[in-house]
């Protein structure tokens, strides 16, 4: 079992949620040190650490911060706590168990990028995490850790929680900015990128909860110490939310580069008794699926997974055993994406709906063999042709499921029932 | 000024141009629904795809800037296939409405299908049904099913009219446009949304179902609704005029015009027009009535004659009539009838001006040239004390913008002789008895001439069509009033009888003639 717990070492302690409990374990010790550094030195340290965004795209955090214009224009720091990717629930744990960890990370990051105003954008359904954050923010304000002249350093930073109304697309950074601006949660065309023109058209940094929290550890122990975890190109540790047919689903922190099957077999206690691994979606529902054979070769880092044609994404590992019908699984996913497309771009708006209809025709026994190829054609023409990556997110699972488990789709079309379960859609879902 | 290559041709474009703008310069055709030169870039229809050398993925031309040496093409198989699919995505939930759709003949989807389509449809699923005949407000009806969600109309109300009535609601393929909180789409620019809608989703209540567009011809003109002088196209056939749309002019109106201006076609149509002249209660041809009035003018020449002009005629007409009165009838009693004095100088910040005349500047210019200084008070006094005996009026073409018309008519009819020239019918005018002459006039679409707009810009208008052939221009009326004969109009240069001056070149006939002539979407 992995012993590396950079972020989650004290998550089992209930008092860690409070300011006192957090401080007792060394919390807010890094902040004064950071406030005495040159902001650029912090950015350089983050660059040197090799930290990559934990929200899905894995973009190097230090590099993103470097895109900010160098003038003194007001800028914003937004924490992406929307956590909309199906299968992902890691940020929730951090907000509930260690809210101060996120707050400290945000203050340090804000100081580094020169922002005096930050928002944590949380999905509306996360009622309890929002309560935890608000409580912690109040504690931090009372202790002079937020607001004017933080710890006498002359640095001001205000932080608020913004409660979204619950749409997957509000997790996409420009969709989140629109939502925060009070508009419909719809992504914006890029360029301009948020670092140049974001919230209220001002330079804006959007980072994931886990990314921001990791900044504290990088500043505390230095980039080189952080780099001891993980691989050359995928540095540090990462939280993985494992769901599906494993014995112990949950959140696990492991160093990047950790073998995927070790996560399943060691951390999660293996498959449910008597069941065999069939497939894994390694990085949230938008990542292409891996077959059991591919899983054996997969390590949990950006490069290894890219090499297998999939991605680390948000780190949501969705495990399927041999009782799962892939046609049915894909039906769930296409339904989700058809529901969540914001409706702006034609290929996504119409394509997600079309994919979903084709799949449900197959599931309901009205499918034609040519529909399987049609799924591929439609998905191919949605990929890379839209404003945001939701369209790709909808297309990639379709392409991988249909290619890797084509026999199940063909069987379903020919017989009108699931090859794995032997039943029809109506019977599966009574 | 970066240079780039588009489909093999080198073009130089302005710094900061997008590829789609460069293609307007190079004249290359490129499909687009959401891009509109007068609106922000949305990048959502995904039809304007191009291939850029060195870039493995196709890109959209509307949101990609041209850089030095860029090699662009939109004719490769890869681009064609992407556009075909882009069109397919637009069409999968589109209704089969063309036979009853007002846009048929000028529809972006039909055009694209002709260009890239003619393939077997792959959609076998049931279509999403959306709302039909949605009443958006006093001027516009929405058919949601036909809407391709290009968001042009929404951006128009956000960015141009700044009235924000429209929005995109719902998500995925259930997305529809609509008005916020049922607030009606009700502003003086609402019909521009119909113009820019690339499909038949937004239709004008005034125009819908009245004509198939391919039965209409069009001609360019200048709106006479106010002193801005928006450039327009007038659509007509032998049944009359049916609609007016704006034509781009960077210096005047950009891409837009106001809704009030669009009504200008109504007073041109035959049912609104004076057709017969009247001289002392006797009906006669317009020209005969004018000639008949010469008698009384001859006899009252000098300061007993007053000429009242509205600012809705052309510069050339003012020149002819004022010259006639000053030189032939020896009077300088020429008066400018100003409508809605209180709001004359107002401006809505976009296009519409309080001065509801197309040629105030033109009239003032000619009056000044002839040293005219008379004021309306002189006229009122002259009428009251009987020194003014004969009044000649060039009345308004657009009576709607002359709210005090009836009052003025009453005042002016105090004169012993009243000679009234005007294009439109008016009951109070026709009811006058005694020494009254009524002379039917042509309208702005029926003559050539010049308007000078509020900023001093001279704009030529050309005859578009003839509605009442017997009606006179002010120039013709001036001749007849002075007792002269009409000069025979110059014969047009010889043209074989099987040709028309507006002949469309053969190569363009490959496309529907109308589609060719309407310009880009
Ligand atoms: C459809 C869609 C949904 C997304 N949802 C989330 C989300 O819930 N949380 C998140 O952190 N990033 C999400 N992202 C990624 C963000 O756009 C962005 O890349 C990220 O917040 C940047 O932070 P990072 O650099 O720290 O990863 C989403 C992206 C897409 C395309
Ligand atoms: S890709 Fe889909 S979700 Fe993203 S902006 Fe376009 S329509 Fe909206
Ligand atoms: S919008 Fe175009 S394609 Fe659609 S019904 Fe009207 S004419 Fe036909
Ligand atoms: S109504 Fe017309 S202009 Fe408006 S979004 Fe739909 S297609 Fe575009
Ligand atoms: S015109 Fe470029 S995407 Fe619509």
């Amino acid at each position: 079992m992995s012993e590396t717990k950079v972020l989650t070492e004290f998550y089992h302690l209930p008092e860690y949620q409070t300011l006192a409990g957090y401080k007792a374990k060394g919390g807010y010790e890094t902040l004064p040190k950071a406030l005495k550094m040159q902001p650029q030195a912090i950015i350089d340290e983050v660059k040197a650490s090799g930290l990559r965004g934990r929200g899905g795209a894995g973009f190097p955090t230090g590099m993103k911060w470097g895109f900010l214009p160098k003038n003194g224009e007001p800028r914003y720091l937004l924490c992406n706590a929307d956590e909309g990717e199906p299968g992902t629930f890691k940020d929730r744990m951090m907000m509930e168990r260690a809210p101060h960890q996120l707050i400290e990370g945000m203050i340090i990051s804000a100081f580094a990028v020169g922002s005096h105003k930050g928002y944590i954008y949380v999905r509306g359904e996360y009622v309890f995490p929002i309560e935890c954050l608000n409580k912690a923010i109040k504690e931090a304000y009372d202790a002079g850790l937020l607001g004017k002249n933080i710890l006498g350093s002359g640095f001001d930073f205000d932080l608020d929680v913004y409660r979204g109304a619950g749409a997957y697309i509000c997790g996409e950074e420009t969709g989140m900015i629109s939502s925060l601006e009070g508009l419909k949660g719809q992504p914006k065309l890029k360029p301009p990128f948020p670092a140049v023109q974001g919230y209220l058209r001002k330079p804006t940094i959007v980072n994931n909860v886990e990314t921001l929290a990791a900044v504290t550890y990088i500043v505390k122990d230095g980039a080189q110490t952080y780099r001891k975890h993980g691989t050359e190109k995928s540095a540090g540790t990462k939280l993985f939310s494992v769901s599906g047919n494993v014995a112990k689903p949950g959140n696990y922190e492991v160093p990047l580069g950790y073998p995927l099957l070790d996560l399943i077999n060691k951390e999660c206690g293996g498959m449910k008794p008597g069941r065999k691994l069939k497939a894994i979606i390694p990085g949230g529902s938008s990542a292409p699926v891996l077959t059991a054979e591919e899983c054996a070769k997969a390590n949990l880092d950006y490069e290894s997974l890219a090499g297998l044609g999939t991605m680390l994404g948000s780190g949501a590992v969705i495990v399927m055993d041999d009782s799962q019908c892939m046609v049915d699984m894909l039906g769930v996913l296409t339904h989700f994406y058809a529901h969540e497309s914001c409706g702006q771009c034609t290929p996504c708006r119409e394509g997600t709906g079309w994919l979903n209809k084709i799949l449900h025709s197959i599931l309901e026994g009205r499918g034609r063999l040519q529909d399987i190829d049609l799924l591929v054609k439609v998905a191919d023409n949605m990929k890379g042709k839209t404003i945001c990556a939701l369209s790709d997110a909808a297309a990639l699972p379709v392409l991988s499921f249909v290619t890797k488990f084509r026999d199940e789709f063909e069987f379903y079309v020919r017989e009108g029932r699931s090859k794995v379960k032997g039943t029809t859609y109506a019977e599966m879902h009574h | 000024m970066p240079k780039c290559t588009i489909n093999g041709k080198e073009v130089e474009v302005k710094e900061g141009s997008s590829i789609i703008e460069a293609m307007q310069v190079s004249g290359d055709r490129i499909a687009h629904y959401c891009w509109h030169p007068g609106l922000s870039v949305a990048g959502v229809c995904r039809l304007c795809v191009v291939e850029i050398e060195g870039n493995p993925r196709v890109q959209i031309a509307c949101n990609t800037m041209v850089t030095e040496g860029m090699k662009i093409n939109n004719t490769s198989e890869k681009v064609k296939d992407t556009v075909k699919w882009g069109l397919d995505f637009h069409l999968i939930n589109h209704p089969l409405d063309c036979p009853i759709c007002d846009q048929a003949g000028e529809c972006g989807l039909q055009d694209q299908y002709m260009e890239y389509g003619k393939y077997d449809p792959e959609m076998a699923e049931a279509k999403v049904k959306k709302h039909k005949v949605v009443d958006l407000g006093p001027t516009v009806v929405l058919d949601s099913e036909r809407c391709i969600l290009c968001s042009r109309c929404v951006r128009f109300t956000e960015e141009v009219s700044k009235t924000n009535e429209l929005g995109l609601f719902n998500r995925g393929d259930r997305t529809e446009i609509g008005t916020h909180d049922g607030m009606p789409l009700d502003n003086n620019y609402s019909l521009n949304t119909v113009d820019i809608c690339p499909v038949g989703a937004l239709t004008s209540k005034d125009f819908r179902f009245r004509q198939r567009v391919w039965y209409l011809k069009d001609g360019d003109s200048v709106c006479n609704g106010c002193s801005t002088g928006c450039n327009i196209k007038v659509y007509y056939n032998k049944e009359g005029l049916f609609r007016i749309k704006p034509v781009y002019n960077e210096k005047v109106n950009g891409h837009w015009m106001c809704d009030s201006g669009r009504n200008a076609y109504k007073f041109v149509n035959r049912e609104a027009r004076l057709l017969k002249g009247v001289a002392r209660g006797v009906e006669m041809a317009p020209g005969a009535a004018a000639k008949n009035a010469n008698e009384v003018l001859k006899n009252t020449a000098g300061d007993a004659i007053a000429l009242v002009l509205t600012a809705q005629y052309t510069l050339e007409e003012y020149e002819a009539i004022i010259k006639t009165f000053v030189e032939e009838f020896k009077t300088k009693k020429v008066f400018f009838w100003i409508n809605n004095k209180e709001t004359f100088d107002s401006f809505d910040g976009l296009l519409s001006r309080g001065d509801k005349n197309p040629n105030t500047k033109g009239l003032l210019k000619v009056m000044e040239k002839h040293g005219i200084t008379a004021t309306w008070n002189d006229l009122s006094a002259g009428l009251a004390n009987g020194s003014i005996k004969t009044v000649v009026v060039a009345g308004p073409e657009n009576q709607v913008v002359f709210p005090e018309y009836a009052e003025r008519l009453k005042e002016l009819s105090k004169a012993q002789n009243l000679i009234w020239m005007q294009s439109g019918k008016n009951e109070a005018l026709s009811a006058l008895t005694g020494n009254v002459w009524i002379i039917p006039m042509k309208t702005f679409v029926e003559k050539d001439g010049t308007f000078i707009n509020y900023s001093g810009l001279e704009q030529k208008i050309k005859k578009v069509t003839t509605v009442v052939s017997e009606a006179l221009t002010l120039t013709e009326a001036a001749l007849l009033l002075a007792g002269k004969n009409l000069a025979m109009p110059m014969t047009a240069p010889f043209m074989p009888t099987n040709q028309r001056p507006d002949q469309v070149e053969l190569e363009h006939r490959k496309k529907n003639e109308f589609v060719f002539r309407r310009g880009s979407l």
Side-chain angles (χ1 to χ4, degrees):
Chain A
M1 212 176 267
S2 152
E3 292 305 322
T4 322
K5 295 273 186 276
V6 172
L7 295 168
T8 56
E9 189 180 354
F10 304 113
Y11 278 26
H12 56 288
L13 305 173
E15 65 274 17
Y16 198 63
Q17 296 162 27
T18 65
L19 180 63
Y22 180 61
K23 278 187 155 171
K25 294 292 176 199
Y28 290 114
E29 275 173 14
T30 316
L31 180 60
K33 175 184 165 192
L35 293 175
K36 287 196 195 83
M37 289 169 75
Q38 284 301 316
Q40 187 58 44
I42 303 179
I43 299 180
D44 291 343
E45 200 67 34
V46 171
K47 267 189 194 152
S49 76
L51 175 66
R52 296 171 63 164
R54 303 296 193 228
F59 194 81
T61 306
M63 198 194 288
K64 188 191 275 187
W65 292 3
F67 292 151
L68 283 168
K70 298 278 178 272
N71 59 22
E73 237 195 306
R75 62 230 10 227
Y76 295 95
L77 178 67
L78 308 185
C79 170
N80 192 342
D82 188 63
E83 192 148 74
E85 186 85 340
T88 320
F89 45 86
K90 66 186 178 70
D91 297 341
R92 169 178 197 141
M93 182 172 73
M94 185 172 291
M95 290 185 277
E96 288 176 1
R97 306 239 178 126
H100 284 288
Q101 212 171 288
L102 171 60
I103 296 168
E104 185 173 9
M106 280 193 80
I107 306 170
I108 296 173
S109 304
F111 178 70
V113 301
S115 165
H116 301 290
K117 178 77 210 175
Y119 292 97
I120 307 174
Y121 187 101
V122 194
R123 57 166 34 223
E125 298 93 315
Y126 274 4
V127 177
F128 183 57
I130 290 169
E131 269 174 32
C132 298
L133 282 174
N134 278 328
K135 219 185 272 172
I137 287 175
K138 183 166 185 313
E139 281 183 319
Y141 265 107
D142 291 346
L145 295 162
L146 279 173
K148 290 250 169 295
N149 192 15
I150 295 169
L151 299 175
S153 65
F155 175 65
D156 307 334
F157 182 61
D158 282 300
L159 184 60
D160 274 309
V161 171
Y162 187 94
R163 189 173 168 186
Y168 175 49
I169 200 60
C170 293
E172 196 279 338
E173 54 185 358
T174 55
M176 196 179 103
I177 289 169
S178 302
S179 170
L180 204 58
E181 286 169 342
L183 305 170
K184 182 177 174 182
Q186 257 181 355
K188 305 183 188 200
L189 262 185
K190 292 185 263 193
F193 289 90
V196 179
Q197 210 181 90
Y199 179 55
L200 306 178
R201 298 178 185 244
K202 295 283 177 236
T204 300
I205 290 293
V206 181
N207 274 132
N208 174 259
V209 172
E210 192 188 341
T211 316
L212 290 165
V215 168
T216 313
Y217 295 89
I218 292 164
V219 175
K220 182 172 153 221
D221 299 332
Q224 291 320 313
T225 315
Y226 188 74
R227 268 193 171 283
K228 289 210 178 104
H229 312 291
T231 69
E232 176 59 28
K233 288 189 175 152
S234 303
T237 64
K238 166 104 191 73
L239 282 170
F240 289 93
S241 336
V242 189
S243 60
N245 312 122
V246 289
K248 289 192 292 167
N251 281 309
Y252 298 94
E253 183 180 8
V254 295
L256 287 170
Y258 198 66
L260 173 58
L261 287 189
D262 281 359
L263 177 71
I264 307 301
N265 295 326
K266 296 185 181 162
E267 264 71 15
C268 303
M271 304 303 290
K272 290 243 167 88
R275 287 281 164 210
K276 250 179 56 201
L277 176 67
K278 178 173 183 177
I280 293 180
I281 300 175
S285 68
S286 54
V289 68
L290 294 176
T291 61
E293 300 79 70
E294 289 169 322
C295 291
K297 292 180 266 174
N299 290 336
L300 291 166
D301 59 68
Y302 297 99
E303 290 67 38
S304 164
L305 291 173
L308 290 168
T310 183
M311 54 199 191
L312 185 80
S314 57
V317 178
I318 303 168
V319 185
M320 287 159 270
D321 69 20
D322 53 358
S323 71
Q324 293 294 347
C325 168
M326 298 311 265
V327 188
D328 187 38
M329 278 294 295
L330 188 59
V332 174
L333 292 181
T334 56
H335 182 259
F336 173 80
Y337 287 108
H339 187 262
E340 296 298 320
S341 160
C342 86
Q344 269 191 105
C345 318
T346 307
C348 172
R349 174 183 72 241
E350 306 296 340
T352 49
W354 195 1
L355 289 176
N356 186 42
K357 280 183 189 167
I358 301 173
L359 256 159
H360 282 82
S361 287
I362 297 177
L363 282 166
E364 283 154 23
R366 288 178 277 109
R368 310 165 303 170
L369 268 183
Q370 76 245 44
D371 284 342
I372 301 170
D373 290 329
L374 185 56
L375 282 170
V376 174
K377 275 197 262 180
V378 173
D380 253 335
N381 281 288
M382 292 166 61
K383 215 173 47 168
K385 305 226 164 66
T386 50
I387 291 179
C388 88
L390 186 139
S391 192
D392 297 49
L396 293 175
V398 171
L399 293 171
S400 61
F401 271 67
V402 171
T403 329
K404 295 182 184 174
F405 298 93
R406 193 175 175 105
D407 58 320
E408 285 192 38
F409 287 81
E410 285 182 359
F411 184 96
Y412 212 122
V413 169
R414 289 213 174 85
E415 311 235 339
R417 64 192 169 89
S418 167
K419 181 176 178 186
V420 182
K421 300 201 189 259
T423 50
T424 64
Y425 186 66
E427 287 159 354
M428 269 189 264
H429 297 270
H430 3 272
Chain B
M1 298 275 277
K3 279 202 200 77
C4 61
T5 313
I6 298 175
N7 296 330
K9 279 178 300 196
E10 189 162 286
V11 231
E12 192 166 350
V13 295
K14 273 198 296 210
E15 199 68 49
S17 298
S18 62
I19 297 179
I20 210 166
E21 284 163 344
M23 294 182 93
Q24 313 293 311
V25 174
S26 72
D28 285 77
R29 281 148 76 107
I30 180 155
H32 59 277
Y33 293 153
C34 67
W35 181 76
H36 186 284
L39 300 171
S40 64
V41 174
V44 295
C45 75
R46 299 281 150 174
L47 281 183
C48 65
V49 282
V50 292
E51 234 184 322
I52 301 169
E53 202 179 274
N55 198 328
R57 278 185 177 185
V58 293
Q59 301 293 317
I60 51 171
C62 61
N63 199 45
T64 310
M65 297 299 145
V66 173
T67 54
E68 182 59 44
M70 204 177 229
K71 289 201 170 56
I72 304 153
N73 96 77
N74 76 331
T75 49
S76 68
E77 282 312 308
K78 193 166 168 187
V79 168
K80 281 188 186 150
D81 191 56
T82 312
V83 178
K84 182 201 93 85
W85 271 93
L87 184 62
D88 227 13
F89 283 127
H90 279 100
L91 287 172
I92 56 170
N93 286 315
H94 196 83
L96 300 168
D97 265 3
C98 304
I100 53 146
C101 178
D102 247 31
Q103 197 85 355
E106 45 187 4
C107 168
L109 286 178
Q110 290 181 334
D111 288 0
Q112 280 312 112
Y113 186 74
M114 296 306 284
E115 187 126 7
Y116 291 95
K118 298 176 222 153
Y119 49 80
D120 292 327
E122 306 213 53
M123 174 78 171
E125 314 299 327
K127 292 189 183 233
V128 178
K129 300 268 191 299
K130 293 183 188 170
H131 297 92
K132 283 194 148 347
V133 206
V134 182
D135 188 355
L136 289 187
T139 55
V140 178
V141 175
L142 164 71
D143 187 310
S144 242
E145 284 193 325
R146 295 180 197 153
C147 169
I148 53 156
L149 295 157
C150 69
S151 81
R152 280 180 175 188
C153 57
V154 178
R155 281 176 284 145
F156 178 85
T157 59
E158 283 169 3
E159 298 163 12
V160 183
S161 70
K162 300 202 166 64
T163 45
N164 296 297
E165 294 101 333
L166 297 175
L168 287 157
F169 300 91
N170 221 326
R171 294 198 307 223
D173 58 12
R174 291 96 48 218
T175 309
E176 289 184 56
I177 69 145
T179 55
H180 290 289
D181 288 334
M183 165 212 249
L185 171 64
D186 188 3
N187 66 68
N188 195 25
Y189 294 89
S190 64
L191 287 167
N192 290 296
T193 60
V194 176
D195 295 342
I196 58 178
C197 180
V199 292
L202 296 178
T203 48
S204 149
K205 280 189 184 172
D206 187 44
F207 181 73
R208 57 195 248 125
F209 305 138
R210 291 184 50 222
Q211 277 291 328
R212 303 271 32 176
V213 290
W214 52 86
Y215 292 137
L216 292 175
K217 295 199 213 185
D218 59 67
D220 290 322
S221 190
V222 170
C223 176
N224 78 346
C226 82
S227 60
T228 298
C230 293
N231 292 199
I232 56 173
K233 250 189 209 310
V234 177
Y235 294 80
Y236 65 97
N237 62 22
K238 61 180 190 299
E239 293 170 47
L241 275 58
F242 285 89
R243 65 175 182 189
I244 289 175
K245 285 187 176 211
V247 169
Y248 177 71
N249 184 334
E250 190 190 348
K251 288 202 215 89
V252 184
N253 53 310
H255 299 274
W256 323 114
M257 73 179 292
C258 76
D259 288 2
S260 330
R262 290 180 199 256
N263 285 324
Y265 79 88
K266 291 179 183 162
F267 61 73
V268 174
N269 277 337
R270 210 171 163 85
E271 38 309 348
R273 298 288 293 278
L274 284 169
L275 304 175
K276 281 265 187 294
V278 176
R280 290 197 177 101
V282 182
E283 271 197 1
M284 55 182 76
K291 197 109 189 225
N292 183 296
N294 171 254
E295 198 69 20
V296 48
L297 281 164
K298 247 186 354 212
N299 296 335
T300 45
D303 276 356
I305 300 186
L307 172 65
V308 175
L309 298 169
T310 54
Q312 301 198 323
Y313 294 84
T314 65
L315 192 67
E316 293 76 3
E317 289 176 292
Y318 292 136
E319 183 57 44
I321 195 141
I322 293 177
K323 194 161 180 256
T324 302
F325 276 68
V326 172
E327 291 178 6
E328 300 273 334
F329 300 135
K330 311 289 181 216
T331 177
K332 285 207 169 183
K333 289 203 176 332
V334 180
F335 303 95
F336 175 12
W337 173 359
I338 303 178
N339 52 330
N340 54 54
K341 264 206 183 79
E342 310 68 44
T343 51
F344 209 68
D345 293 324
S346 65
F347 176 46
D348 72 352
L350 191 48
L351 291 173
S352 178
R353 293 183 182 267
D355 175 3
K356 297 291 175 204
N357 300 289
N359 204 11
T360 301
K361 282 255 159 101
L363 172 56
L364 293 173
K365 187 174 165 183
V366 181
M367 284 170 76
E368 192 185 290
K369 180 177 159 198
H370 289 276
I372 285 154
T373 51
T375 66
W376 195 269
N377 285 343
D378 303 340
L379 175 65
S380 300
L383 285 169
N385 66 25
S387 64
I388 293 178
K389 299 202 165 50
T390 300
V391 174
V392 181
V393 186
E397 207 165 294
N398 184 2
Q399 297 173 38
V400 181
V401 297
F402 277 70
E404 74 307 78
Y405 180 94
E407 215 178 293
R408 288 275 174 276
L409 179 67
K410 212 159 131 200
E411 183 181 4
L412 297 169
S413 61
K414 282 190 217 144
Q416 261 178 34
N417 309 300
L418 180 64
I419 302 164
W420 195 289
M421 302 178 283
Q422 169 173 307
S423 54
K425 278 185 204 158
N426 183 290
E427 273 183 29
L429 177 66
S430 307
L432 292 180
T433 54
N435 291 340
V436 174
W437 286 257
I438 299 176
I439 304 171
M441 304 300 285
K442 289 231 159 78
T443 59
F444 73 114
V445 298
E446 297 167 285
K447 61 193 175 196
D448 295 346
T450 309
F451 286 153
I452 304 183
N453 82 348
Y454 75 96
S455 72
L457 182 78
E458 290 196 11
Q459 303 197 88
K460 298 270 176 236
I461 54 167
K462 279 233 151 277
K463 186 176 111 178
V464 173
T465 181
T466 302
V467 180
V468 180
S469 61
E470 323 80 276
L472 305 176
T473 64
L474 211 46
T475 309
E476 292 165 338
L479 279 171
L480 293 165
L481 289 174
K484 298 180 181 157
N485 287 323
L486 285 186
M488 286 300 281
M490 284 264 293
T491 42
F494 173 76
M495 193 169 298
T497 47
N498 63 345
Q499 269 186 31
R500 298 186 341 208
D502 59 348
Q503 188 94 5
V504 174
E505 299 299 321
L506 245 189
E507 67 195 79
H508 299 126
R509 290 230 177 242
K510 282 184 228 144
K511 260 198 139 188
N512 171 332
E513 176 175 327
F514 181 83
V515 170
F516 166 65
R517 290 171 57 114
R518 87 180 133 83
S520 66
L521 272 169

